[in-house]
């Protein structure tokens, strides 16, 4: 191997190690850290992140990138070319931000977060509005830094989207989302007018310890390997990759909402399957991660919805579930359970939305954050704009800020711009992806009835997971489907299932 | 504050953060990491350690040390002077080792460890002997690096001792240990000839979950604050400081040895009390740690032995213990329990030794490692030398290497030299320290009978903990006792208790 390439790989391996150390610090903070550990943990995380950033913007690394840039493509393996492309991308993005800016921005976001917690408690957007104005200014400044020297970007949200979902732009997504909205709004209206299935049993009490038992069993039985991971309880469920053989999930237990734990477990398993299924040759390198927020979400949503809310899935699992929670589910048939977990109803809260209405929530946020960034919406007008859009798209109007524009942490913790599109990209691609899997293996649903997911696992590994970050999202979507990202398979799936 | 001093503090705070991040990685590895996480975790730890080391030997840091070295002492606070002294010490020691040497040495030790595991299994020292020879050579090389430019050190083990127990030398410790040995050997002989107390109940079955409950309760009731820490199960018990408000302990449960968990919990609580009791002004700085291995051990042994094996302690706790484990202890009186846990008997294994014989085990190792380093003992002659010393000092002779010179991991994992003296320094100072506490507060034993440790906690905080690493060990010993480290109070304590 070329010495410069070898050095570059070693440097990026260290950067990756430091980032994963940060993930360990976060995991511990969310699971087992004692109450008084907070202050020192915040400092520790900032320091390790800084160490990783320093290594990334090191002039010696820039020199190695230049040197390896001169290597002819033909002399490099596919993995090496993919590595160099991603390494350059990470370096360029990191070095566009002036030193000091990030620390200042993080500091502001940390303060904003505290104020948001208060504002939500007081149910008063005005409390946090001045902070959000500053956040918008910071987020615009970030756009400008990234935009410097680029000509392809036409909207200030583009660089933010590029960060999470490389290769996608505001304009493209607006077109795509408009198509989707055109299909969804009438569909939701039609489904809302139908008679509602029984859902009383979904809020019956199920003891925590029994739920933990079942969720571990369920994760194992859909293919999660506890030698290479573990499941713990946290306030917000998440998946985190701490090593090639250490990909952990967390879940949340609600004693009067059995579905909360079930679907968050399946969802996080979907994320974990992706990370656990990467090619071993990418272990410990920057290629050894899912390629984008949207693609990652497609894998979790595929398992949560296409698989986990299907009749076939519960044909196998419901008898187990019913036996485990006989007090809560003894009088509930499989069909009642299936209809209950798939009830469609417009609501105010994104995280509680069903799979039909969910993307309407996301697209409202996507449009609003793009308007905040390009100046066509002022922060002071946010609550009204939010409520109007809910009424137009979902037919429901929030009666308070807490139920409206204060509900999600994203803008008050991470910044404005590029925060939400990944959720809908994920939903759309999950349908394209599952459609492609079924086309290749029509027997997958039948196997699910037997509790057998091996064909699906293999197909996903071969067609999605193995590429890690070696393919950018659109390259991957093309390779899997032969097409661009599209809303059609998703809408067709919904119509098939619900009409 | 002087800008150079401020910068220096910020740099050392980052170094400290990175070191504590390593501690989080280790804690997780020992407690909850899934089986297949090992390989990537090893790399991650090495990378974060390297990042800390790079920051420590950074030329810019050297410049700041020079600049702050010019500040007149009178212009600095006591904490600032202590910080600069420790900072210089850490920098000088780190920069004496040529880059690359440490990685090579660690690599060798990692290999040696694997071979040692095999050798122990095969019960054959010869398997690991060639590796140990290399270790001795590496350890001598380390001495030479540290020794460069110093004139005070007369023995190649001195720099190793200096690392763990600053200010102590091989010669001083040999004199001190010879005194101790002179007292201990006849004492052990006399106690061995007495009739043995009843100990059958100590190996009765006590279920794991019941032990965990009791040990958490016990830790809480001797003053361990679970808002600032937690207790988990590991193969080897340890204490680890992850932040000023996050000092964790671990323990080991043996279902047929209740005492294993009890005394390791009390021992680790002693370590934790020290770290939790430091002055808040030292939080997050390099001063915010116990000052040496030996002083740390004194605090754990004080709680484990002076307190935790006392009649007063169990007068309060035994009724609780007996009620909790009524099947195992129902027919055992307080006096029988007290005598059972204080049984003295020469044995072959250090970690299972009682408090009378324990230091004989340690001093054998101390002498042997000093001889290996100065060349007066060859590696090939180690097993014989070991066995002879056991026979001379303890009157027992190992019949195998596994029970002899292969029993401790230290030489096969950390290196040769300076590995053991801290245990005996700890035992000696624990007695001096407890004597001083009793002199100031003769009511402490009476309070222990009531399960009240507040006076002892306050005295330790005021006289030991608050100084952190601001005082070096001998300064601290002087301040507490008015004397040097001495074996007399320890021997007097043993004679009072056992004769």
């Amino acid at each position: 191997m070329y010495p410069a390439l070898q050095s570059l790989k070693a440097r990026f391996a260290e950067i990756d190690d430091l980032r994963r150390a940060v993930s360990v610090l976060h995991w511990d903070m969310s699971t087992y850290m004692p109450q008084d550990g907070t202050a020192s943990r915040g400092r520790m995380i900032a320091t390790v992140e800084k160490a990783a950033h320093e290594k990334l913007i090191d002039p010696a690394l820039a020199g190695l990138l230049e040197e390896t840039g001169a290597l002819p493509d033909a002399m490099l393996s596919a993995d090496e070319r993919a590595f160099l492309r991603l390494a350059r991308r990470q370096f360029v993005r990191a070095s566009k931000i002036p030193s000091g800016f990030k620390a200042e921005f993080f500091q502001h976001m940390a303060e904003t977060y505290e104020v948001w917690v208060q504002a939500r408690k007081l149910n008063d957007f005005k409390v946090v509005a001045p902070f959000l104005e500053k956040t918008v200014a910071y987020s615009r400044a970030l756009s400008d830094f990234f935009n410097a020297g680029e000509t392809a970007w036409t909207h200030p949200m583009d660089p933010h989207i590029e960060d999470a979902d490389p290769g996608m732009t505001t304009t493209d997504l607006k077109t795509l989302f408009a198509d989707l909205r055109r299909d969804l709004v009438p569909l939701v209206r039609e489904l809302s007018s139908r008679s509602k299935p029984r859902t009383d049993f979904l809020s019956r009490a199920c003891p925590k310890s029994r739920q933990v038992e079942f969720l571990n069993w369920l994760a194992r039985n859909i293919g999660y390997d506890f030698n290479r991971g573990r499941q713990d309880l946290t306030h917000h469920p998440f998946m985190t990759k701490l090593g090639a053989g250490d990909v952990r999930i967390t879940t949340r237990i609600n004693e009067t909402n059995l579905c909360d734990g079930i679907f968050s477990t399946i969802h996080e398993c979907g994320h974990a399957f992706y990370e656990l299924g990467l090619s071993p040759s990418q272990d410990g390198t920057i290629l050894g991660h899912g390629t984008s927020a949207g693609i990652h979400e497609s894998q979790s949503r595929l398992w949560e919805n296409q698989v986990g809310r299907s009749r076939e899935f519960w044909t196998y699992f419901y008898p187990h579930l019913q036996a485990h929670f006989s007090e809560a589910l003894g009088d509930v048939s499989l069909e009642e359970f299936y209809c209950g977990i798939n009830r469609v109803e417009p609501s105010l809260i994104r995280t509680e939305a069903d799979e039909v209405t969910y993307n309407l929530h996301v697209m409202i946020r996507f449009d609003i954050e793009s308007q905040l960034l390009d100046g066509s919406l002022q922060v002071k007008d946010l609550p009204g704009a939010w409520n109007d859009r809910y009424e137009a798209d979902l037919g429901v109007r929030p009666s308070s800020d807490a139920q409206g524009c204060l509900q999600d942490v994203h803008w008050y913790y991470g910044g404005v711009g590029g925060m939400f599109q990944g959720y809908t990209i994920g939903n759309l691609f999950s349908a394209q992806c599952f459609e492609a899997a079924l086309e290749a293996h029509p027997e997958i649903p039948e196997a699910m009835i037997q509790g057998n997911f091996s064909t699906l696992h293999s197909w996903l590994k071969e067609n999605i997971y193995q590429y890690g970050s070696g393919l950018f999202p659109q390259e991957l979507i093309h390779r899997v489907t032969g097409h661009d990202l599209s809303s059609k398979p998703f809408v067709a799936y919904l119509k098939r299932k619900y009409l």
Side-chain angles (χ1 to χ4, degrees), chain A residues 12-13 15-16 19 83 86-87 90 282 284-289 469:
Chain A
F12 270 96
I15 292 167
D16 199 61
R19 289 172 181 161
F83 163 73
L86 190 62
Q90 293 195 358
Q282 301 175 332
T285 78
I286 48 171
L287 293 176
H289 298 276
S469 295

Side-chain angles (χ1 to χ4, degrees), chain A residues 37 205 256 265 287 293 327 360 363 377 419 455 487:
Chain A
T256 56
T265 293
L287 293 176
E327 281 191 34
L360 291 172
M363 293 186 292
L377 178 68
M419 288 284 153
T455 305
S487 64

Side-chain angles (χ1 to χ4, degrees), chain A residues 63 95 100 125 139 150 172 226 264 267 304 323 341 353 386 406 427 444 456 459 481:
Chain A
S95 50
F125 174 72
S139 300
E150 308 272 346
D172 293 348
F226 280 83
S264 75
H267 181 97
E304 179 189 351
I341 62 171
W386 179 289
L406 286 178
N427 286 322
I444 285 176
L456 180 58
W459 187 90
T481 67

Side-chain angles (χ1 to χ4, degrees), chain A residues 200-220:
Chain A
D200 60 303
F201 54 87
L202 293 177
S203 54
R204 289 184 184 159
C206 297
K208 188 167 162 178
S209 62
R210 296 285 289 158
Q211 288 200 44
V212 169
E213 278 168 27
F214 183 79
L215 295 175
N216 282 328
W217 178 88
L218 179 66
R220 203 182 300 274

